[in-house]
Amino acid sequence: DYKPKNVQQAWDNHFEAFGAQDVDKILLDYTEDSEIKVHNHHDGSTVTHKGLAAIRACFTGLFAALDDLKTLAAPQIIVEEAPANMVFLIWSCPGCGFESCHDTFHFDSDNKITRQNIALTCTK
């Protein structure tokens, strides 16, 4: 049973799963009530993914687009425990067209991600 004790443990799982492109592992950090909003500055689109099936599709598509991780970088990661229960992340993968990405993750009392907001510039 996956039960992170704090935001840092949940974040460690998320970051490791992202690097390994492991959708099943990353989904452990979300619930059916979780929501991801993605805004792309390049084309002005904003897409909302709500619930585990939609979040699975979001990460499946993202990982397909991240087909070469040689240029993947995360120069800023700020993890805040209670009362904020959040993570602020800046990342990029210019080799795959992700020039600049900023994420905020909000966690509930069970250290599950309730809301993730992403603002990015993706040129692909």
Side-chain angles (χ1 to χ4, degrees):
D1 246 355
Y2 173 70
K3 292 183 180 174
K5 292 181 175 69
N6 53 40
V7 173
Q8 185 66 59
Q9 281 187 356
W11 176 251
D12 291 345
N13 180 77
H14 187 88
F15 194 73
E16 182 180 304
F18 190 93
Q21 296 191 343
D22 185 335
V23 175
D24 289 331
K25 184 172 182 173
I26 218 163
L27 283 176
L28 295 174
D29 295 318
Y30 297 89
T31 72
E32 196 57 52
D33 294 324
S34 298
E35 184 176 287
I36 299 175
K37 286 187 188 292
V38 182
H39 177 78
N40 188 347
H41 293 290
H42 183 71
D43 62 14
S45 64
T46 300
V47 178
T48 300
H49 308 273
K50 184 161 176 64
L52 293 173
I55 291 169
R56 175 180 290 281
C58 174
F59 280 105
T60 299
L62 176 60
F63 292 157
L66 290 169
D67 58 357
D68 180 0
L69 299 180
K70 283 187 239 138
T71 61
L72 181 64
Q76 183 75 272
I77 303 170
I78 300 170
V79 177
E80 293 186 28
E81 300 292 346
N85 292 343
M86 65 163 292
V87 172
F88 176 68
L89 168 68
I90 298 174
W91 66 278
S92 64
C93 194
C96 296
F98 291 84
E99 301 301 324
S100 177
C101 308
H102 301 80
D103 292 44
T104 56
F105 302 80
H106 299 273
F107 294 79
D108 66 14
S109 60
D110 292 323
N111 300 304
K112 299 286 187 164
I113 298 166
T114 57
R115 295 288 180 272
Q116 180 178 353
N117 300 304
I118 306 167
L120 54 80
T121 301
C122 183
T123 57
K124 281 190 175 180

